[in-house]
Amino acid sequence: MKKLLLLGALISSVAMAEGNVAEARIGANFGSTTFHYGYYIDDLSNKVKSGFELAGEYRTDLGSGFQVGGGIAYRYNKLPKFEGYESKGLHSFPIYATARYNFNTGSDLVTYVKANLGYSFNSGSIKNTWDDRDSFGGRRWGKDEIKFGSGFYYGVGTGIQYKNFVVDLSWSNTLVKTKWEYDSNYSSGTNINYSGSKNLNHDVVTLSVGYSFGF
């Protein structure tokens, strides 16, 4: 019975707490910078296509318009299609700390600026494999592949909130650590293999809408 009373008191205290904010957003990202895949697939240089983003944040009010907290997002961008290549797209899961300042307009309409800093767990690849005959009639097989890895994430943004509804515009940079490999084998016994890594910056502008509620 005591445990039930303690649990009830805890739930009541959380429900009555003020200055806590939860927010969910959905949007589209666009304007991504040119994304180079690597040295041995350099003919695939092109823009990452527009994608979508889902985000959730929890913030606490520090007073005087300042809020701090954390967030998590999921972002997906398609990659250009090239003949013979299979692409799984670029998946990003940023986890970040956020700071926001609300400009008090004395009404239900609030404008704000914000900054995010965190780490993005990225995945995806672009790959071409072959198993055919070379120019001398022998067998040739191998692959040409780039894999996308994780890296730091940061961004800034601004937005408008009317009551519980939010329109958010942000810019973010994600470090994508890539590993590439070219491996070609011939029945004659000749093998050609190149590999390496490169850090790439993936920049996007995201326009999203959301809903925010306090508790």
Side-chain angles (χ1 to χ4, degrees):
M1 185 63 181
K2 290 183 179 180
K3 292 182 179 180
L4 292 176
L5 292 174
L6 181 60
L7 179 60
L10 180 61
I11 294 175
S12 298
S13 63
V14 171
M16 295 175 63
E18 295 181 357
N20 299 310
V21 178
E23 184 174 296
R25 299 189 306 272
I26 182 172
N29 58 57
F30 55 92
S32 56
T33 59
T34 301
F35 198 88
H36 298 280
Y37 294 103
Y39 298 102
Y40 292 92
I41 318 181
D42 55 4
D43 59 321
L44 301 185
S45 298
N46 210 319
K47 285 183 176 295
V48 175
K49 295 186 177 181
S50 298
F52 70 90
E53 182 174 311
L54 303 172
E57 289 182 2
Y58 168 82
R59 302 186 302 271
T60 187
D61 200 335
L62 299 181
S64 301
F66 287 98
Q67 296 178 343
V68 296
I72 184 171
Y74 168 68
R75 184 171 66 201
Y76 173 75
N77 289 92
K78 288 184 177 181
L79 301 177
K81 291 184 178 181
F82 295 89
E83 184 177 355
Y85 283 85
E86 175 187 355
S87 171
K88 295 184 179 180
L90 175 59
H91 302 263
S92 300
F93 293 88
I95 298 177
Y96 57 89
T98 186
R100 171 169 152 169
Y101 179 74
N102 296 315
F103 297 93
N104 187 2
T105 61
S107 68
D108 290 331
L109 185 65
V110 176
T111 59
Y112 63 85
V113 291
K114 67 176 185 177
N116 300 333
L117 178 63
Y119 193 83
S120 180
F121 297 89
N122 309 313
S123 64
S125 66
I126 183 168
K127 182 178 181 181
N128 181 26
T129 58
W130 56 84
D131 190 344
D132 52 26
R133 295 290 177 179
D134 60 24
S135 57
F136 300 99
R139 183 184 172 212
R140 182 184 75 109
W141 68 95
K143 66 178 181 179
D144 194 3
E145 181 179 21
I146 289 287
K147 292 182 178 180
F148 304 115
S150 306
F152 288 106
Y153 165 90
Y154 61 91
V156 294
T158 185
I160 299 174
Q161 180 171 333
Y162 178 71
K163 294 184 178 180
N164 295 95
F165 297 95
V166 178
V167 178
D168 187 276
L169 180 65
S170 64
W171 168 87
S172 64
N173 175 280
T174 302
L175 179 65
V176 182
K177 296 181 179 180
T178 66
K179 292 183 179 181
W180 51 268
E181 181 180 7
Y182 177 89
D183 184 29
S184 189
N185 306 281
Y186 298 83
S187 56
S188 61
T190 301
N191 298 315
I192 302 174
N193 181 271
Y194 302 98
S195 63
S197 61
K198 188 177 182 181
N199 292 338
L200 307 175
N201 289 300
H202 179 42
D203 303 315
V204 299
V205 174
T206 303
L207 179 63
S208 59
V209 294
Y211 188 84
S212 178
F213 57 93
F215 58 95

